[in-house]
Amino acid sequence: MLIRDITRLTDCRHGHLILINEQGIADNGDGGVLQPVTRWPEGAMALGYWYQTPVAVLFVEDETPWPAARDWLSRLDADSFALVSTALQVVRWAHDHRFCGRCGTRMKRRQGEFAMECPECRHRSYPRISPCIITLVTHGRELLLARSPRFPAGRFSTLAGFIEPGESAEEAVKREVFEEVGVMVGRISYFRSQSWPMPHSFMMGYYAEASSRELLIDGVEIEAADWFLPEQLPGLPPSYSISRHLIDNFLHSIAWY
Ligand SMILES: [Zn+2]
């Protein structure tokens, strides 16, 4: 597993390495992302320890067609998912914060933490994490599932959206559900969370019990939505996604397999 402690890795230049480019993530020749222990090249950023061995990520400026990040995430176990998720977000953060957002000066990396600091005005930037809610709306045994125009044909999923400034997660659940499908929800309960590095979302999963049933679809983010019985489900999201975990856990809770 990944131990996210970089405070003692300031001078470390040796360990596993993950190579990322614009195309994806390099295979180590054995179906994994961890390159054998090696001396880290200039620009490698320590992520912590993979079990006891230091691990770093390096962004490589080339066009080699490495497997896409999404493909990796779809087949990694939970521990490796967390490692790859961290590597992708750290690379994205370093790339997006090369210059100070306040005064435009080139930023410098602070040692021992994930922070960039402006040498002129001392403004600091940390990896951006965007909190989102994702919710399965239910009514009795029925599941409210919707599809975005971006989904593969036939797939329906739970509803999701970003939390807005000043908003609680529960308020975001109520607002998103109403905006996207016109349904009011009553009781809301927390399920679990998942980091989603596409590019830096933090998904907080909730169940929401509908207090109205009529659907009014926004037609932009959502192109179709419906109530589904467990016996008549459409195509569902992939098994590694929190939306699928929400759906599967609900089906188990009503003893439907
Ligand atoms: Zn500055």
Side-chain angles (χ1 to χ4, degrees):
M1 62 178 290
L2 176 64
I3 299 161
R4 290 183 181 78
D5 178 3
I6 60 169
T7 55
R8 282 181 290 277
L9 291 176
T10 304
D11 298 320
C12 178
R13 304 304 309 161
H14 200 84
H16 286 301
L17 191 61
I18 298 172
L19 299 170
I20 295 181
N21 68 7
E22 287 290 352
Q23 309 291 319
I25 307 172
D27 194 305
N28 62 6
D30 200 22
V33 297
L34 284 174
Q35 302 298 325
V37 171
T38 181
R39 181 167 174 77
W40 291 342
E42 189 65 31
M45 292 180 288
L47 300 174
Y49 299 83
W50 181 249
Y51 295 89
Q52 272 81 44
T53 307
V55 56
V57 62
L58 178 69
F59 183 78
V60 184
E61 299 268 2
D62 78 0
E63 296 296 318
T64 310
W66 290 336
R70 196 174 284 272
D71 295 340
W72 282 109
L73 293 171
S74 69
R75 58 191 157 96
L76 294 173
D77 61 39
D79 279 348
S80 300
F81 186 106
L83 173 65
V84 168
S85 181
T86 304
L88 287 166
Q89 291 186 68
V90 166
V91 161
R92 170 59 59 189
W93 159 72
H95 189 70
D96 288 352
H97 293 89
R98 289 172 293 167
F99 298 94
C100 176
R102 188 186 284 158
C103 76
T105 304
R106 183 173 279 278
M107 300 284 262
K108 284 209 166 101
R109 178 80 193 270
R110 275 179 63 83
Q111 296 299 318
E113 61 177 330
F114 292 127
M116 296 284 231
E117 187 171 53
C118 174
E120 284 297 320
C121 74
R122 299 292 158 197
H123 175 61
R124 286 187 193 173
S125 293
Y126 298 91
R128 180 173 170 188
I129 297 169
S130 303
C132 302
I133 58 87
I134 182 160
T135 182
L136 175 60
V137 180
T138 62
H139 188 259
R141 296 176 72 247
E142 288 178 287
L143 299 80
L144 173 52
L145 301 173
R147 61 171 278 112
S148 143
R150 295 174 287 114
F151 286 179
R155 180 185 294 173
F156 282 67
S157 187
T158 53
L159 300 173
F162 290 105
I163 298 176
E164 295 192 341
E167 196 175 43
S168 72
E170 293 80 4
E171 287 167 341
V173 168
K174 292 185 179 182
R175 177 183 52 75
E176 280 289 341
V177 173
F178 189 73
E179 279 178 8
E180 294 189 355
V181 294
V183 166
M184 310 280 284
V185 295
R187 189 163 68 172
I188 294 169
S189 53
Y190 178 68
F191 174 55
R192 69 169 78 134
S193 63
Q194 184 183 56
S195 166
W196 186 248
M198 298 295 178
H200 36 60
S201 295
F202 176 70
M203 313 300 293
M204 301 172 70
Y206 287 87
Y207 289 103
E209 293 178 16
S211 54
S212 71
R213 280 183 58 88
E214 191 181 345
L215 300 175
L216 184 64
I217 295 157
D218 74 5
V220 181
E221 287 185 64
I222 299 297
E223 66 174 17
D226 213 340
W227 293 101
F228 293 92
L229 283 164
E231 296 82 4
Q232 297 168 324
L233 291 174
L236 296 176
S239 59
Y240 57 88
S241 62
I242 190 169
S243 53
R244 183 58 175 270
H245 298 165
L246 277 161
I247 294 167
D248 287 348
N249 187 62
F250 175 73
L251 295 175
H252 279 79
S253 75
I254 59 169
W256 190 90
Y257 302 92

